Amino acid sequence: MTARWAQALTEGTVFSAPGVWPLLAFLADGAAGPARAELAGALGVPAGQAAGAARELLSALASVSGLDAALGLWTHQELDLREEWRAGLPAGTHGRFGDDLVTARERLDAWAAERTGGLVERMPVRLTRRTRVVLASALALRTRWRQPFTELPLRPESGPWRDRALRGLHRRSVRPDRVGVTDTPGGFVTALTVPGDNGVDVHLVLGEERMTPGQVLAAGVGIVERGLPLTAGGALPHGHVGPGLHVEQQPAVTPEPRTLDVRTVAYEVRADHDLLALAGLFGLTTAMDTRVGHFPGMSALPLAVGEARQSAVAQFGALGFRAAAVTAIPMAAAGLPDFRYETTVVRVAFDRPFGFLAADRASRLVLAAGWVTDPAPYPAAGWGAGVAPTF
């Protein structure tokens, strides 16, 4: 779903497919007719197995170090859920709301903020007099780098960020295989793995300038899942070997192994997604038809999807990465040295729009992904308001 969603991207954004998938699965479990078939198609599993698969996914997410995942269900006080369907939800997820929509809204917003550590402060959907069910998920991810970056100003010499003073991040290591390049039908893609200290890795992916964000991120998913072959930095020849990627000789004072020199930018990306604008992708085309009910397995009251939205944020800084998403479906780095030796340096620079994917190292599940078009500026004096935190 991450790869398919990425194909629809055209601008800077962040999104979380695991925040959407379990909600669609529980909807499929209670749906009937064409809505049930469409949801099953979007999920890739039979509707009869969807609720079990959603529980397994939520359990797997709960086991990821540094990730907090929660599911919430709220129903109007006059709505009765079918017990068979409600019993399929994780324990402790069901709450109720009444006709006081202001109070209900406050409770939903408080839930979103609490479950994401304040990164997402509001539930991304509206409550109306016709709202009877709100099904929501929240994900909050945090990791610290095993090797921190050094903050330095970065001024790209070409591309969309040319001559901008950006908040650059730099580090050098003896792990050249952290970067690599792959060939895709759309063009070459460079990928860098930035390991976190808790089993979560962030992958930065840079494609050829003519490639779309969807093409680059889809390639990133293939790299994370090891479906695309990657030629690692330690095996690359000298020269320009991939987007933003060069291998070159540099003078050295002492014999040194091949090293990796990384330059990128700090960023904060926020995005709001209207999932119904991509209703076909999420299997919600029929379910949003309010003329009839589509979820008899949930309740005897006819229900349709009125809204489906996600609010997401990602922050990448010198010390670590954090991201969060709330999805809701209402029924929504002095003397002259003596250079005697040479060493091989693999240089990579993410100095124009690029993608990122945060993934669980063990399962390779992509937890959050996005596209960076507006990195943080380098402040003239001190860190001013609005600059992404460094953790």
Side-chain angles (χ1 to χ4, degrees), residues 111-121 137-140 313 322-326:
W111 183 88
E114 179 182 356
R115 296 305 189 277
T116 63
L119 284 177
V120 179
E121 298 180 345
S137 72
L139 300 178
V313 59
R322 60 179 182 170
V326 174

Side-chain angles (χ1 to χ4, degrees), residues 191-216:
L192 171 73
T193 299
V194 187
D197 64 355
N198 57 1
V200 172
D201 298 331
V202 177
H203 304 265
L204 307 184
V205 285
L206 179 70
E208 297 184 39
E209 293 189 47
R210 59 186 172 81
M211 296 178 70
T212 67
Q215 289 176 313
V216 178

Side-chain angles (χ1 to χ4, degrees), residues 145-304:
W145 307 135
R146 290 180 180 175
Q147 177 190 356
F149 289 85
T150 299
E151 295 183 356
L152 295 169
L154 176 66
R155 289 182 178 272
E157 297 179 355
S158 62
W161 302 339
R162 180 179 180 180
D163 295 333
R164 288 180 59 183
L166 304 177
R167 189 172 153 205
L169 303 176
H170 172 259
R171 75 182 191 188
R172 195 163 185 170
S173 74
V174 292
R175 300 298 297 272
D177 288 351
R178 294 287 188 204
V179 75
V181 64
T182 188
D183 187 9
T184 75
F188 287 95
V189 173
T190 296
L192 171 73
T193 299
V194 187
D197 64 355
N198 57 1
V200 172
D201 298 331
V202 177
H203 304 265
L204 307 184
V205 285
L206 179 70
E208 297 184 39
E209 293 189 47
R210 59 186 172 81
M211 296 178 70
T212 67
Q215 289 176 313
V216 178
L217 284 171
V221 173
I223 291 168
V224 171
E225 296 178 346
R226 293 185 176 174
L228 286 177
L230 196 69
T231 302
L236 292 169
H238 290 172
H240 179 204
V241 291
L245 186 60
H246 298 78
V247 180
E248 60 189 35
Q249 293 296 112
Q250 288 187 359
V253 176
T254 59
E256 296 179 8
R258 178 173 287 214
T259 57
L260 173 62
D261 184 278
V262 176
R263 295 180 186 272
T264 185
V265 291
Y267 59 82
E268 175 176 297
V269 184
R270 293 181 178 269
D272 293 305
H273 302 282
D274 179 2
L275 305 186
L276 296 188
L278 299 171
L281 190 156
F282 298 108
L284 294 172
T285 302
T286 297
M288 58 190 286
D289 182 356
T290 59
R291 293 175 297 178
V292 295
H294 309 284
F295 302 94
M298 292 177 59
S299 172
L301 181 71
L303 294 170

